[in-house]
Amino acid sequence: MLGACCEVGEGESLATLTDADVALIERATGLLRKRFCEEEWLTAEEAHAYEERRPLYLGYFRSAPRRLTLRWRSRTGRSACVLLGTHGCTLPEDSRPTACRLYPFELWPDGSWSLQVERHGGVSAAQRSGRDACLAVEEASSMEEVLAALGKTRTEVESLGERLRREVQAHPRAQVVRKRRTRH
């Protein structure tokens, strides 16, 4: 199976992007942001719930309840990221959005690290699903096995989490600056 993180089901969105991610992808590909990025407008309640559930995104909606996501396209009967090629992501590893590089790991509100499995309802449900789950999650019986399968250490995951936190904190300020410039 090719990357469940890069494929979405009905009503799902792809990775949340920061302005830093968008700039990195633009530099790496030469594409205009409208070719790979979508805007999703949330209600104030949805934005609050998003940040509450995902502490690394605290402050993401500070300037507006607008979420930037990777754009998807229909591909062989499934919806997949526009940057997904036949053999995986077409972006070099160092040009991928931080959320993509962090997947399937997620910081929980209690400060612990776990796996992103909300589309399945839990790790054991993802392991039993046999479809649409990250293969490392399906096949591993512990967090250490998932880390090993993906060639990551806890330190690397935590470092990516800190990188995402910094990008999120800069994200709304970048939007406000851009809006101010367009007014003059």
Side-chain angles (χ1 to χ4, degrees):
M1 169 184 20
L2 233 150
C5 57
C6 304
E7 297 174 337
V8 290
E10 182 83 24
E12 292 181 315
S13 296
L14 289 166
T16 298
L17 301 176
T18 63
D19 286 335
D21 292 324
V22 172
L24 193 60
I25 295 168
E26 285 174 329
R27 282 193 305 273
T29 64
L31 294 172
L32 297 174
R33 83 188 275 146
K34 67 181 179 182
R35 299 284 308 274
F36 62 85
C37 181
E38 291 187 6
E39 289 184 349
E40 175 185 16
W41 288 92
L42 307 176
T43 66
E45 294 81 23
E46 290 169 330
H48 176 74
Y50 190 94
E51 288 183 353
E52 193 171 89
R53 166 70 178 79
R54 296 167 184 86
L56 292 175
Y57 288 93
L58 189 61
Y60 184 88
F61 300 105
R62 197 174 10 221
S63 65
R66 179 190 74 156
R67 178 177 173 233
L68 300 177
T69 65
L70 285 166
R71 184 176 292 280
W72 58 269
R73 69 176 183 275
S74 184
R75 180 180 164 193
T76 62
R78 300 192 63 130
S79 298
C81 177
V82 296
L83 300 171
L84 182 64
T86 309
H87 301 288
C89 185
T90 58
L91 292 172
E93 175 75 24
D94 62 352
S95 297
R96 293 178 187 164
T98 304
C100 294
R101 295 176 69 196
L102 192 56
Y103 187 86
F105 305 102
E106 180 172 40
L107 183 67
W108 289 87
D110 69 3
S112 66
W113 283 94
S114 189
L115 302 170
Q116 288 186 29
V117 291
E118 62 190 24
R119 61 166 47 163
H120 303 283
V123 174
S124 54
Q127 289 173 328
R128 289 190 311 268
S129 75
R131 60 168 185 72
D132 297 336
C134 171
L135 287 175
V137 173
E138 285 182 4
E139 296 175 2
S141 60
S142 70
M143 185 72 138
E144 282 65 37
E145 285 184 22
V146 175
L147 287 162
L150 296 173
K152 294 201 185 293
T153 65
R154 283 187 182 269
T155 302
E156 289 171 319
V157 168
E158 290 169 359
S159 176
L160 283 169
E162 281 307 308
R163 175 182 167 166
L164 180 56
R165 189 185 315 270
R166 287 188 308 273
E167 289 175 2
V168 165
Q169 291 309 305
H171 177 76
R173 285 192 293 273
Q175 288 177 351
V176 172
V177 168
R178 189 176 306 124
K179 287 179 183 176
R180 286 187 186 143
R181 277 193 218 137
T182 58
R183 289 183 187 158
H184 296 319

